[in-house]
Amino acid sequence: MPDPRAALRRRAARRPFERSLITTSQTTTFAALGVPAPLVQVLDAAGKTSAFPIQQDTLPDTLDGRDVLGRGKTGSGKTLAFSIPLAARLAASGAGPAAPRRPRGLVLAPTRELATQIAEALAPLAEAYGMRTTTIYGGVNQKRQTDALARGVDVVVACPGRLEDLLGQGELSLGDVEVTVLDEADHMADLGFLPGVTRILAQTPDTGQRLFFSATLDKEVDKLVRRFLHDEVLHSVDDPTSHVSAMTHHVFEVSADDKKPLVQALASGRGKRLLFTRTKHQAKRLAKQLTTQGIPAVDLHGNLSQNQRDRSLAAFGQGDVQVLVATDVAARGVHVDAIELVVHVDPPAEHKAYLHRSGRTARAGSAGDVVTVMLPEQRRDTEQLLRKAAIDAKPVSVTPDSTAVAELVGEQAAHVEPAPRGASGGAPKGGQNGGQKGSRNGSGGSRGGSRGSSGKGRGRGSERGSGQSSGQGQGSGQSRGARSSGQNSGTPAGQGAGRGSSRGRRGGRGQGDQGGRRASAPAGSPARG
């Protein structure tokens, strides 16, 4: 009988990686790389006929069943690089209909947004073979997820936290997983997810195929590689500090008084703009300020529910608004086509964040610009950050009216007058809160909706925006079953009314005055309540 320890010694003695590096830009079709015909047809229908370098490099090995560690910068095409072999390998195994709670494919991603986008890219490939996929992540009710698992799915795209919760509840088993993908492995390490990832990977069969993709190969990622990959091939399509040739970097030094007007000017162009702030509060405030100034914008950050985040991304991706203001939650995995400008409203804290934020533009062969807005006192730290990121961009002193700014912005988009507060899309949250607060504070009204009693109360609300206001609201509990509704009327910044409703156990109606910032969302933009 073979000595298992001998195999371990041989494995420890082997070179950790077989290295390959693509340096050419030759065009290669997916069919030429051995991608099965059903998948080629799906890709052709989506207009994807030529493989990107990381796909050219990895597909021969991944389709052959090898474990692969793929290194490529943001926007290099990693999602298809692992989605294609995942679908092809599961289809080739011929395991039949998906068994309840026992997926055969697993993709781990660090964020909900990335998990959703991976699932969207993977679904049509899986459907070509009659396979089903589902997503698992926190921030939403788990019932939809457990119901899908109970019906049976072939592939699960998951974030580690919620997946571990469901594994602990016995809602699924990873014992049948044939292919495991770890995407954005270095970001998993940055977020502190690797202990959970390690526990999850340990529950997958050691004989399965494993594909790890990462922008960098940090020490913590290397630990995962050495433990879980077998006879792997490293495919690196670029150096970790290499940059997209079509991405142009600018550093604008501006006075504190001119910073807000400069950011407004940068956001005013016709193409898609992605603005990054350091905090959630800044993202929310800036999006509302821009909207009030006639530049429709939505925000994306961790304080939003998943539905709110989805609405913001949908509005931006579909062109309903041209400006997305985000925290670093969007710096990884959020892929929206044709973002022409990324603006670091504040220089990020470290160079990795700079690279990943900037990677939202100039993706898949398109061109894009990146602007860092810098105050004079931030010059030293910003220059140090750029050196670490290997970015050669010299600070330029500007004002909002400088020629350098005008040339970068190009043609300005038409001014969009903020919707009056009574118009569709105005202030849904204010009305909702008015009704809920009146119901909660009323004498008997707070619980009257579910019990059939009623009461009256007063609710106060104030909000600071481009102007300030505060107001009072009257609320009375109503026996309305499972729905509460509110009506919000605004006086400080303009006359109008906004309606909002939310599902809940309590019913109530309320009225309150609220300053114009909440009601200034453009007509047609998503309700953010």
Side-chain angles (χ1 to χ4, degrees):
M1 180 177 179
D3 181 2
R5 290 174 297 181
L8 290 175
R9 286 193 296 269
R10 288 194 299 271
R11 182 181 172 194
R14 67 174 170 83
R15 289 189 307 163
F17 309 117
E18 299 173 23
R19 299 187 177 272
S20 61
L21 177 67
I22 279 207
T23 57
T24 64
S25 57
Q26 61 187 20
T27 300
T28 304
T29 66
F30 287 106
L33 293 169
V35 176
L39 299 184
V40 172
Q41 292 174 4
V42 172
L43 295 169
D44 284 346
K48 300 170 183 175
T49 57
S50 299
F52 292 153
I54 197 168
Q55 297 158 6
Q56 297 175 32
D57 208 15
T58 59
L59 282 172
D61 285 319
T62 54
L63 290 170
D64 195 39
R66 295 287 299 274
D67 285 4
V68 163
L69 175 60
R71 183 175 69 189
K73 56 180 171 282
T74 300
S76 60
K78 296 190 298 291
T79 301
L80 274 185
F82 62 74
S83 295
I84 290 170
L86 173 59
R89 295 283 297 172
L90 295 184
S93 69
R101 299 185 175 87
R102 299 189 72 88
R104 297 185 296 126
L106 173 65
V107 182
L108 294 176
T111 66
R112 292 177 278 182
E113 285 74 24
L114 181 55
T116 299
Q117 294 194 354
I118 290 172
E120 290 173 353
L122 177 61
L125 301 174
E127 289 169 0
Y129 294 105
M131 296 187 296
R132 295 190 294 241
T133 64
T134 195
T135 52
I136 292 177
Y137 45 70
V140 296
N141 191 296
Q142 73 175 42
K143 187 176 186 307
R144 180 195 64 80
Q145 300 167 358
T146 56
D147 286 349
L149 292 170
R151 289 191 297 268
V153 295
D154 297 276
V155 182
V156 165
V157 183
C159 295
R162 174 58 64 85
L163 180 60
E164 277 207 288
D165 289 344
L166 297 187
L167 286 167
Q169 297 170 31
E171 294 290 349
L172 78 160
S173 167
L174 303 180
D176 289 347
V177 170
E178 302 172 26
V179 182
T180 304
V181 177
L182 177 61
D183 193 21
E184 301 283 12
D186 54 339
H187 193 32
M188 294 277 200
D190 293 341
L191 295 174
F193 290 167
L194 289 195
V197 170
T198 301
R199 292 189 293 269
I200 292 168
L201 292 174
Q203 297 188 48
T204 62
D206 196 50
T207 56
Q209 182 182 19
R210 289 167 177 158
L211 312 176
F212 290 3
F213 285 81
S214 182
T216 59
L217 302 180
D218 297 333
K219 182 178 179 182
E220 295 301 315
V221 176
D222 187 55
K223 289 180 181 178
L224 286 181
V225 171
R226 292 182 177 276
R227 176 171 176 181
F228 293 107
L229 296 188
H230 307 301
D231 193 24
E232 73 278 2
V233 185
L234 170 67
H235 289 289
S236 180
V237 299
D238 48 41
D239 184 83
T241 59
S242 67
H243 306 296
V244 180
S245 59
M247 185 187 297
T248 305
H249 298 264
H250 313 263
V251 182
F252 287 164
E253 182 177 299
V254 66
S255 68
D257 290 340
D258 279 341
K259 181 175 179 178
K260 285 185 179 179
L262 172 62
V263 171
Q264 180 183 352
L266 292 171
S268 66
R270 295 181 63 86
K272 287 188 173 70
R273 272 100 166 98
L274 177 52
L275 280 56
F276 280 104
T277 64
R278 283 196 178 186
T279 70
K280 305 167 188 176
H281 174 70
Q282 289 173 319
K284 178 180 179 181
R285 181 177 60 188
L286 180 55
K288 291 183 177 181
Q289 288 173 346
L290 291 173
T291 299
T292 301
Q293 294 159 351
I295 304 172
V298 290
D299 51 341
L300 181 68
H301 50 79
N303 278 353
L304 299 178
S305 70
Q306 187 60 42
N307 286 339
Q308 289 171 317
R309 291 161 80 164
D310 290 344
R311 287 199 298 269
S312 290
L313 275 176
F316 184 57
Q318 296 167 7
D320 297 334
V321 299
Q322 293 294 85
V323 178
L324 176 67
V325 186
T327 58
D328 284 331
V329 72
R332 293 269 196 156
V334 173
H335 175 39
V336 175
D337 291 331
I339 295 176
E340 68 177 37
L341 179 64
V342 167
V343 178
H344 303 280
V345 176
D346 296 295
E350 47 92 29
H351 73 284
K352 281 187 181 180
Y354 179 93
L355 293 173
H356 292 300
R357 286 178 174 190
S358 303
R360 299 307 99 200
T361 189
R363 298 171 67 89
S366 62
D369 289 275
V370 178
V371 173
T372 301
V373 178
M374 177 189 74
L375 299 176
E377 59 267 28
Q378 296 173 317
R379 187 182 186 109
R380 181 177 177 182
D381 290 340
T382 302
E383 289 178 337
Q384 184 178 19
L385 178 146
L386 294 174
R387 282 195 299 270
K388 289 182 178 179
I391 299 295
D392 183 16
K394 303 300 181 184
V396 177
S397 295
V398 299
T399 68
D401 300 322
S402 293
T403 301
V405 176
E407 290 177 349
L408 184 63
V409 172
E411 184 180 359
Q412 291 191 340
H415 178 92
V416 178
E417 192 67 26
R421 302 179 74 176
S424 173
K429 189 172 181 178
Q432 182 187 100
N433 289 347
Q436 290 176 336
K437 289 181 181 178
S439 176
R440 278 198 293 269
N441 295 333
S443 172
S446 67
R447 310 212 180 267
S450 58
R451 293 204 305 260
S453 61
S454 64
K456 291 187 177 181
R458 298 177 66 86
R460 295 185 64 89
S462 67
E463 185 155 356
R464 189 182 304 271
S466 55
Q468 295 181 350
S469 66
S470 63
Q472 297 181 340
Q474 291 282 354
S476 61
Q478 302 288 333
S479 178
R480 299 174 69 89
R483 178 177 293 274
S484 68
S485 63
Q487 187 173 13
N488 179 47
S489 62
T491 56
Q495 299 292 332
R499 296 181 179 270
S501 65
S502 66
R503 294 186 180 274
R505 298 179 56 199
R506 295 188 291 245
R509 290 189 176 184
Q511 291 187 342
D513 294 337
Q514 182 173 309
R517 196 164 70 105
R518 172 66 64 184
S520 62
S525 66
R528 288 186 287 168

